[in-house]
Amino acid sequence: MPRQPDGRAGGPRDLSRPEPRPEPTDPAAGRAHASGGAGEHDGSTGDPADGSDRQDPGSGDPATDQAHASGRAEEHDGSTGRATDGPSRGDRDESGRAGGGAEDGARGAAGGGRRAPGRGPRPEAGDVPRRAPEAPGVAGMPSAGTTGGERLRFVGAATRRIARGIDLDEIVLGLCRATVPTFADAILVYLRDPLPVGDERPVGPVVLRLRRTDQLPEHVRGLGDPADPDAPADRSDPATDLAAVAAERCEVRIGGPLAEVLRGVRPVYGDSSAARAALPELLGEDRTVPDRQRTILAPLRGRRRVIGAAVFIRRADRPAFEGDDLLVAAQLATHTALGVDKAVLYGREVYIADELQRTMLPDSLPQPTGVRLASRYLPAAETARVGGDWYDAIPLPGNRVALVVGDVMGHSMTSAAIMGQLRTTAQTLAGLDLPPAEVLHHLDEQAQRLGSDRMATCLYAVYDPVAHRIVIANAGHPPPIMLHRGGRAEVLRVPPGAPIGVGGVDFEAVELDAPAGATLLLYTDGLVESRIRDVWTGIEQLRERLIETARLTGPNPPPLEPLCDEVLGMLGPGDRDDDIALLAARFEGIAPSDVAYWFLDPRPQTARQARRLARRALARWGLDELSDAVELLVSEVITNAVRYAERPISLRLLRTDVLRCEVGDDVPQLPRLRQARPSDEGGRGLYLVNRLARRWGATRLSTGKVVWFEMALPAHAR
């Protein structure tokens, strides 16, 4: 077999196990060979903690040069290629236990759940545990004899634990649990307050706030009774007690020693000249810092700037930090800072998504006369709280109300934005009092203007409490369900239509009875369709659920809010594939005896006729004390309509919780309130309406307009 120039066989090598790299004879040269800093530095200035480099790699400071070579630990994480995060052969620490100090040994920092020294999982077949000298009282601690490969395995396990965190607290906790007690006996983590987000430049002074501390329990450190961890300690250890008395807040002085260390980015020993001046500023002037190389101050630098600092502390009976420990601290600080940056950006995205979804949906539903409303919205998942489902209830003239529910394709921020535009368009069209089929037609045109792939389903219904009728038009949406007073539930037969955005299709509306006491349920397909059931199976299950719920209340209809909760209770573990919008409407209607309606010709005598009719209706209802005010206001509104109308004028009085008067004509121009001058002959009618009525307004219709006002009922008539 031919051989290589170095004497090795020239055949294929076994790639399943990496060949050992020869260690350099000069330790300093070996450290310099692992070039690449703990993180790239952009050299920005102007911020005391902007992370710009102040030292060259060859500055002459061994600690600085060693920290600059921290890229070595980041390239080798000690992973053996397993897909799981559990203990592996590559994750064993110096004591031979699986998972390394970052995974298992660090659990002692929480004060419980830590294994006793010398006890651990049984080694796997073929594994030969390696044990390094252990410090008194704590097993698995690195010592002066720790090799570079063991440090790499520790860094790999620790960075994986830090990377598991999603939010800020999980990342900081991962750093603490991975560090104590394997790498240090105590740790203090400071973060900027507030934390900068993305590229924004914080204004004002840089403030560091103590986010978390962690240290060995006293009985593990040999200070207390192992049988009673809560017993008072016999003596104190200044190295770890510093974590309990450190300052909670620190304002970084511009140009001060702490600002210089943070700007330098690289970890430094606690006994260096820079750290001796910076640590009292960070921890407090009266705090005692352990002497010699038993403290490491490591800035936490994110993508743009330094966002905090970490202080690693070892007690007196532990070996002091070595030069390679600066590399470990740099790697831990870099991964933690990048994780904090990601957590802050993720938190901002979640906040924006929540705010977008909240503003797209109504904060509260109106409560018009003759109908009660309740609603629910459930996102597809807690981590993706945005979607394209929406619902709405829009009051219309004549005490009518428009009920809308829709579903835009997808559940992303784009879907939520499109949903907001369609909802706004629906509200505008409803204000014009267009028929439901016309509303869907205009929504279809709007969706096509937004893009060729903007698809949505929508159901639009208008309920008239006076006529006890409802008009419904559908655009590819699941049909509504009507729950009657006696407990019967039926799926309404509404023409399905094509979804909004298809274009070139007509929509058909149907008019149905809406008896008092009935409940109309509008919903999106996320309630009835999932991966384990089709939409019609889900609709039938929903209908049966409504029947069972109505059976519990007997002849009376079930309350709306508990009814919505019962409907959502039909969802199983695998049924949450899409977001859900639910709108329930309980029809109460307005009794015919509480309505008075007339058509009047636009003649000069019409105002007198309207006053007489209004007086008779008020007398029939026992509201004679309102006659003078109502006659005056009716006369003013009717006179304005007679002046411009060409077709018969409508006059309607409704007695509900208030007395409402509506005057309709065929003139689309809306009246405006204005201040009449002393010389003007007119212009004072609406001024009187504004002064005497509880509320008033004017609504433009497709056939003209309606001017209305409301009067409060006397106490005996409420």
Side-chain angles (χ1 to χ4, degrees), residues 302-350:
R303 292 173 177 80
R304 297 290 187 270
R305 60 189 64 84
V306 172
I307 59 175
V311 181
F312 304 94
I313 306 170
R314 282 186 182 177
R315 66 178 191 264
D317 57 350
R318 284 283 301 278
F321 288 112
E322 301 176 353
D324 286 342
D325 291 329
L326 289 177
L327 306 179
V328 175
Q331 286 297 305
L332 297 177
T334 298
H335 283 272
T336 301
L338 294 178
V340 169
D341 260 358
K342 293 178 183 178
V344 172
L345 291 174
Y346 174 75
R348 173 61 63 89
E349 290 181 358
V350 171

Side-chain angles (χ1 to χ4, degrees), residues 401-403 436 459-465 467-473 480 482 492 509-515 520-522 585 587:
V401 60
L403 307 174
L459 193 145
Y460 189 93
V462 175
Y463 170 65
D464 188 346
H468 295 269
R469 304 282 288 178
I470 186 169
V471 182
I472 307 176
M482 180 83 75
L492 299 183
V510 294
E511 186 174 358
L512 304 171
D513 289 330
L520 183 68
L521 202 69
L522 309 179
F587 300 141

Side-chain angles (χ1 to χ4, degrees), residues 310-507:
V311 181
F312 304 94
I313 306 170
R314 282 186 182 177
R315 66 178 191 264
D317 57 350
R318 284 283 301 278
F321 288 112
E322 301 176 353
D324 286 342
D325 291 329
L326 289 177
L327 306 179
V328 175
Q331 286 297 305
L332 297 177
T334 298
H335 283 272
T336 301
L338 294 178
V340 169
D341 260 358
K342 293 178 183 178
V344 172
L345 291 174
Y346 174 75
R348 173 61 63 89
E349 290 181 358
V350 171
Y351 171 77
I352 293 174
D354 287 343
E355 285 296 306
L356 176 63
Q357 186 69 45
R358 187 185 64 81
T359 55
M360 293 300 178
L361 296 175
D363 293 334
S364 60
L365 292 175
Q367 296 297 334
T369 302
V371 62
R372 295 183 181 179
L373 303 173
S375 63
R376 294 291 188 274
Y377 175 80
L378 292 180
E382 289 297 326
T383 56
R385 299 185 61 87
V386 294
D389 292 13
W390 91 90
Y391 60 89
D392 212 342
I394 309 168
L396 299 177
N399 284 82
R400 296 173 300 151
V401 60
L403 307 174
V404 191
V405 64
D407 183 4
V408 178
M409 181 178 58
H411 45 81
S412 62
M413 295 186 67
T414 302
S415 302
I418 298 173
M419 176 266 288
Q421 298 181 65
L422 294 180
R423 178 173 176 247
T424 302
T425 303
Q427 288 180 331
T428 304
L429 297 172
L432 299 176
D433 200 22
L434 297 178
E438 288 294 323
V439 172
L440 295 183
H441 175 73
H442 289 291
L443 284 176
D444 180 61
E445 293 181 342
Q446 176 66 15
Q448 294 180 67
R449 284 191 289 267
L450 295 176
S452 58
D453 58 343
R454 308 309 188 193
M455 304 287 292
T457 63
C458 182
L459 193 145
Y460 189 93
V462 175
Y463 170 65
D464 188 346
V466 176
H468 295 269
R469 304 282 288 178
I470 186 169
V471 182
I472 307 176
N474 192 3
H477 203 78
I481 298 180
M482 180 83 75
L483 177 63
H484 295 271
R485 179 184 288 271
R488 181 174 61 92
E490 63 171 332
V491 180
L492 299 183
R493 295 184 178 181
V494 181
I500 291 174
V502 173
V505 296
D506 293 330
F507 300 98

Side-chain angles (χ1 to χ4, degrees), residues 9-215:
R13 293 183 298 170
D14 183 9
L15 301 180
S16 61
R17 186 182 302 273
E19 297 183 0
R21 179 181 297 177
E23 295 291 339
T25 56
D26 185 3
R31 289 190 294 266
H33 179 70
S35 59
E40 297 180 358
H41 311 301
D42 56 4
S44 58
T45 59
D47 189 341
D50 63 355
S52 58
D53 295 337
R54 286 300 185 89
Q55 299 178 2
D56 296 331
S59 60
D61 185 359
T64 303
D65 295 340
Q66 293 162 5
H68 184 64
S70 60
R72 177 179 60 189
E74 186 173 5
E75 295 173 357
H76 307 285
D77 60 354
S79 174
T80 59
R82 298 186 182 183
T84 179
D85 290 332
S88 62
R89 297 177 60 180
D91 294 341
R92 297 182 178 273
D93 60 9
E94 303 82 36
S95 62
R97 293 178 308 188
E103 297 296 332
D104 297 321
R107 292 190 178 95
R114 182 182 176 277
R115 299 188 186 95
R119 299 184 63 182
R122 181 177 300 173
E124 298 178 5
D127 287 349
V128 180
R130 296 189 300 272
R131 289 187 178 272
E134 297 180 354
V138 179
M141 298 247 185
S143 63
T146 303
T147 64
E150 291 167 339
R151 280 193 172 88
L152 289 179
R153 283 191 290 271
F154 163 72
V155 171
T159 53
R160 285 194 298 273
R161 180 158 194 163
I162 295 172
R164 291 195 194 110
I166 296 178
D167 59 17
L168 196 60
D169 293 331
E170 291 179 352
I171 293 171
V172 175
L173 177 62
L175 171 64
C176 295
R177 294 292 174 85
T179 303
V180 180
T182 307
F183 183 69
D185 297 313
I187 183 175
L188 297 88
V189 182
Y190 284 84
L191 295 179
R192 293 180 71 158
D193 186 23
L195 279 166
V197 180
D199 296 331
E200 69 179 15
R201 277 284 182 180
V203 296
V206 177
V207 176
L208 299 181
R209 189 174 296 278
L210 185 61
R211 184 77 184 192
R212 185 177 179 88
T213 64
D214 213 344
Q215 59 180 324

